[in-house]
Amino acid sequence: MTSTRDILFTACELVGLRADDAELLHAHSNIVYLLPSAGVVARINGNDHAGLRAKASITITRWLADHNLPVTEPALDHAVDAAGSTVTFWIYYPQHRIDRPSPRHLGEILQHLHTLPAPPFPLPEYEPLVGLVSILATADITPKVLTAADRHWLSRQAEQLVTEYRTLPTVLGRGMVHGDAYAGNTLWTGNKVLLGDWDETSIAPRELDLANTVQARRFGIREEEIDAFLRAYAYDPRDQPLFDALVRMRDLHTLTSYIRRAQRGDARAHTELMTRIQSLQNPATPARWVSA
């Protein structure tokens, strides 16, 4: 298997950027490197969708910026395919402030996003839990990663939530959504907050973009932060059946990358995976989730 650094060097050579001083910033579902000499961030995406989402994110963010939405912007107007991955290059925004952007800032951006006109390019329909359903259907999940009972339980939960997603009514309507909106995808540039990571942009009930922040109770977000987020968005969906399903769907969605990492032998990811599954199966004894 080609290493991510080899993929990075190949992609940078193709676009004329230095990679010898590259610094790893993030390694989870995507791999992110800083190229300090260029002031650029390189994002390496696995080609689960043939790289189409990563490539589309460039067009999407250019259009959003033209509509005055505060977004992270691409450094290059094209992506590079290298060794089965897709690499995109983005402007680097150094984070010098001690405080991080708050959920309130995210709520303001999402309220703006959801009032924009339909974009002049097609967007895919959001596919609920497609990654989890796919990985649960494969034969190569070892019992050390998931027991047969846990695998069966997760499959049934996913099937139920997908049905609810497709049948429960939306109050906010369907339209363009970020698809992975949470405060961790926001950055400062001066005193302005930008929203990044547009790979999951799609058409879905707009409530989807509000679910991640409420689901972040699992990670210790304070209720007053959730309240401030929803006030900034100017709508509170917490009494909606569809929204409840979306929050529970987010719970399951977060397991996908941990299953994959545990399959690769990541012990910390496996420990966190077990914590999450057990707290989902036993709601009376919830556990604090952490990013492993």
Side-chain angles (χ1 to χ4, degrees):
M1 178 181 294
T2 307
S3 74
T4 58
R5 288 195 71 88
D6 287 340
I7 293 170
L8 176 70
F9 272 76
T10 298
C12 286
E13 184 176 5
L14 289 170
V15 299
L17 292 175
R18 281 181 54 191
D20 57 300
D21 58 350
E23 302 172 12
L24 180 65
L25 295 182
H26 177 77
H28 197 51
S29 52
N30 298 314
I31 311 297
V32 181
Y33 284 96
L34 169 63
L35 308 176
S37 59
V40 168
V41 168
R43 287 170 51 89
I44 301 174
N45 298 66
N47 269 339
D48 290 348
H49 302 278
L52 295 176
R53 288 185 173 179
K55 294 169 184 174
S57 67
I58 297 172
T59 300
I60 290 165
T61 51
R62 289 291 191 214
W63 183 82
L64 291 170
D66 287 344
H67 283 74
N68 299 313
L69 196 80
V71 295
T72 55
E73 295 193 51
L76 299 177
D77 283 330
H78 64 282
V80 174
D81 291 320
S85 294
T86 298
V87 184
T88 51
F89 297 90
W90 300 83
I91 295 171
Y92 174 53
Y93 302 94
Q95 299 301 287
H96 298 308
R97 295 179 55 143
I98 296 174
D99 59 320
R100 300 194 63 177
S102 71
R104 175 182 63 80
H105 293 108
L106 176 63
E108 293 170 352
I109 296 172
L110 292 175
Q111 200 277 337
H112 183 180
L113 171 67
H114 292 171
T115 59
L116 292 178
F121 43 78
L123 291 172
E125 288 287 328
Y126 183 77
E127 299 179 88
L129 297 177
V130 62
L132 180 65
V133 170
S134 175
I135 198 170
L136 289 174
T138 64
D140 60 349
I141 302 178
T142 68
K144 289 183 179 180
V145 172
L146 282 180
T147 67
D150 285 342
R151 189 168 174 171
H152 178 69
W153 186 86
L154 288 171
S155 296
R156 291 189 60 186
Q157 292 294 307
E159 181 180 1
Q160 176 185 334
L161 286 171
V162 169
T163 297
E164 291 181 26
Y165 173 85
R166 299 198 186 286
T167 57
L168 291 171
T170 168
V171 173
L172 294 177
R174 295 173 57 80
M176 181 181 187
V177 297
H178 179 278
D180 192 24
Y182 70 105
N185 277 333
T186 56
L187 296 168
W188 289 108
T189 178
N191 292 319
K192 182 179 178 181
V193 175
L194 307 177
L195 179 57
D197 195 358
W198 292 86
D199 293 353
E200 301 295 323
T201 305
S202 55
I203 300 297
R206 294 183 177 92
E207 289 92 340
L208 180 75
D209 275 345
L210 308 183
N212 293 7
T213 299
V214 174
Q215 189 266 348
R217 290 189 183 108
R218 298 277 188 189
F219 301 93
I221 190 174
R222 301 190 308 274
E223 289 300 317
E224 52 264 37
E225 292 180 286
I226 295 175
D227 292 340
F229 165 74
L230 295 174
R231 282 196 302 271
Y233 184 81
Y235 180 72
D236 188 337
R238 284 176 288 189
D239 61 350
Q240 280 189 50
L242 173 62
F243 187 71
D244 177 67
L246 291 171
V247 172
R248 290 183 288 125
M249 206 165 73
R250 179 66 184 177
D251 281 338
L252 293 191
H253 175 82
T254 69
L255 305 181
T256 309
S257 63
Y258 284 88
I259 294 172
R260 289 174 175 153
R261 288 169 57 190
Q263 277 290 93
R264 296 195 297 265
D266 187 330
R268 289 181 60 205
H270 185 257
T271 298
E272 178 63 15
L273 174 65
M274 291 300 99
T275 297
R276 295 186 184 193
I277 291 174
Q278 288 163 13
S279 63
L280 290 172
Q281 292 175 336
N282 302 285
T285 55
R288 174 78 171 267
W289 294 8
V290 298
S291 297

